[in-house]
Amino acid sequence: MRRRTSTVGRAGRRKIPTAVIFVCVFVICCIVGTVMLGNYLLDKVEEPPETTEPTTTSGTSSSHQTSGLSNISSADGNVRAGCLDISDTSNLEIIRERVDFIYESGYDSILIPVSDGSGELYFLSDVAVALSRMSSDADLPTMSDILRVINESAESYGITPKVTIYYVITSGGISDAVLYEAAVLYDTAVITECTSLGADEVLLSGIEVNGSGEDDISAFTSFIEKVKEADSDITLGAAFGLEIYQSTDYAALLESISSCVSFLAVDISSLDMTYTDTDEIVYTTDEDGSIIESTETVRMSSLYSELSEAAESIKGSISLYGLSFLLYGDDTYILSESIDAIYSAGAYSFYVITPTQ
């Protein structure tokens, strides 16, 4: 984690650096575009969200034998980030418990999803407050407090975690030039606000890709340049869907984008995992020592085979770009399957995008 000396808490949050303030002022000057963007995003929020995350079921099983989350510690030098969910609480003690759970599970780094892609933020942002996108007394945790809790917990465990902000950009899919520029400036200000407070890196998602992606290269690299102008030391990553890496049509896009970001990641949420229910005989012992035979339905998943096959199909990109994986699943079994599958293809860096139960 970037170590910055600062006073934390709602009453004493540190000031935003000049570069970020400049961006905010620029956005305010574009107030017409910002208002239009707000209306656009409001419509977007009201649309029912689509989800492609795998559905997990208690008791999930598979013929593949996993070695558990202890695998997380077996590839030194790579990112193994657990997900810190801040979307449903402002209570710092609850956040601390979640951070402790991440460390106790074997992860050495933390991923914090901070937005939902519609413009809604999960933390109290000075940028959003300045632009009247959020009330100053919103019941949300501050980024300073979140990072302080992460750091304090890490010290008690004797580790130095990397903290990654997972940010879904709001400019993706906006065709109107004024709205797009306003969204880019807003994204830039929020992203650099997080890094100025101590986050180590930002992983960007929601990047629009049309056709072969040729028209998107210039727009995205221009966006990256704006972010780096606001924070020259920022570490940025970009996440794309599995299909982008599987098709040679996007080779030019990946090559260009890889030259302006620090790392690339693959989002596997498009995988269509299936389940098969089977009956297994279970033996238990009652109070008097008698053996009781019963039948238990066990759900077997196709995750390991599907993810292994998918990872093998982009092994060239894994080697060329050192790809990290975005993993989904809210229980340790599903994550163990996922970790084993990507390890089998030679990928050892991953970010868990859903909180583990």
Side-chain angles (χ1 to χ4, degrees):
M1 181 190 299
R2 289 187 183 182
R3 300 302 176 93
R4 311 280 180 122
T5 302
S6 63
T7 302
V8 296
R10 295 182 187 270
R13 299 195 303 275
R14 60 172 293 162
K15 295 182 179 179
I16 306 175
T18 302
V20 179
I21 295 175
F22 174 78
V23 173
C24 294
V25 173
F26 189 21
V27 178
I28 294 173
C29 291
C30 300
I31 191 65
V32 175
T34 305
V35 172
M36 294 172 63
L37 174 66
N39 292 331
Y40 171 86
L41 292 175
L42 179 60
D43 293 337
K44 193 173 181 181
V45 172
E46 293 174 348
E47 295 176 0
E50 296 182 0
T51 176
T52 53
E53 295 181 10
T55 302
T56 59
T57 302
S58 177
T60 300
S61 182
S62 168
S63 59
H64 168 72
Q65 298 297 314
T66 68
S67 53
L69 287 182
S70 59
N71 255 358
I72 293 173
S73 302
S74 68
D76 293 338
N78 295 283
V79 177
R80 300 173 296 279
C83 177
L84 175 60
D85 182 15
I86 61 170
S87 66
D88 61 350
T89 185
S90 61
N91 188 311
L92 294 180
E93 288 308 309
I94 294 177
I95 292 175
R96 187 184 302 275
E97 290 174 0
R98 292 175 180 179
V99 171
D100 288 344
F101 180 78
I102 289 172
Y103 295 146
E104 290 167 0
S105 297
Y107 299 101
D108 61 6
S109 299
I110 289 180
L111 180 75
I112 311 176
V114 298
S115 68
D116 64 356
S118 68
E120 179 184 355
L121 297 176
Y122 303 145
F123 70 99
L124 188 60
S125 163
D126 288 337
V127 169
V129 170
L131 297 175
S132 299
R133 296 285 297 275
M134 178 183 292
S135 171
S136 60
D137 59 358
D139 186 22
L140 295 170
T142 68
M143 184 55 64
S144 294
D145 282 344
I146 295 167
L147 295 176
R148 173 175 58 81
V149 167
I150 290 173
N151 187 47
E152 290 174 351
S153 180
E155 289 180 356
S156 68
Y157 284 89
I159 61 177
T160 303
K162 175 179 289 186
V163 178
T164 303
I165 299 298
Y166 180 73
Y167 186 78
V168 184
I169 61 176
T170 63
S171 55
I174 299 178
S175 57
D176 183 274
V178 176
L179 289 175
Y180 176 78
E181 187 64 21
V184 166
L185 293 173
Y186 176 75
D187 288 340
T188 300
V190 173
I191 289 167
T192 53
E193 177 183 10
C194 292
T195 55
S196 72
L197 293 171
D200 294 294
E201 62 184 22
V202 178
L203 176 56
L204 301 173
S205 183
I207 304 165
E208 189 77 5
V209 178
N210 296 303
S212 65
E214 293 179 3
D215 296 334
D216 302 295
I217 294 174
S218 177
F220 186 72
T221 54
S222 176
F223 170 67
I224 294 299
E225 289 172 1
K226 285 184 172 65
V227 176
K228 290 184 176 180
E229 286 175 5
D231 183 353
S232 59
D233 296 326
I234 196 169
T235 300
L236 291 171
F240 294 95
L242 182 63
E243 67 281 358
I244 300 297
Y245 296 98
Q246 288 177 322
S247 174
T248 56
D249 292 340
Y250 301 108
L253 177 141
L254 292 173
E255 183 177 354
S256 296
I257 291 180
S258 67
S259 66
C260 63
V261 298
S262 299
F263 64 100
L264 291 176
V266 54
D267 187 332
I268 64 167
S269 59
S270 62
L271 286 181
D272 185 19
M273 183 168 57
T274 58
Y275 295 95
T276 303
D277 291 336
T278 58
D279 292 333
E280 291 187 356
I281 297 176
V282 179
Y283 296 94
T284 57
T285 305
D286 61 15
E287 294 180 355
D288 61 6
S290 301
I291 297 177
I292 302 174
E293 179 181 313
S294 60
T295 302
E296 181 178 286
T297 299
V298 178
R299 173 156 288 189
M300 303 177 66
S301 78
S302 62
L303 176 61
Y304 180 82
S305 60
E306 291 186 13
L307 184 49
S308 294
E309 183 179 342
E312 285 292 333
S313 73
I314 61 170
K315 206 164 185 177
S317 292
I318 292 174
S319 176
L320 181 61
Y321 301 117
L323 289 183
S324 297
F325 276 70
L326 296 185
L327 302 182
Y328 294 81
D330 60 2
D331 63 55
T332 55
Y333 181 86
I334 293 295
L335 291 176
S336 294
E337 289 265 280
S338 302
I339 292 167
D340 284 352
I342 66 171
Y343 277 18
S344 69
Y348 301 105
S349 289
F350 60 84
Y351 299 84
V352 178
I353 201 65
T354 46
T356 306
Q357 303 297 320

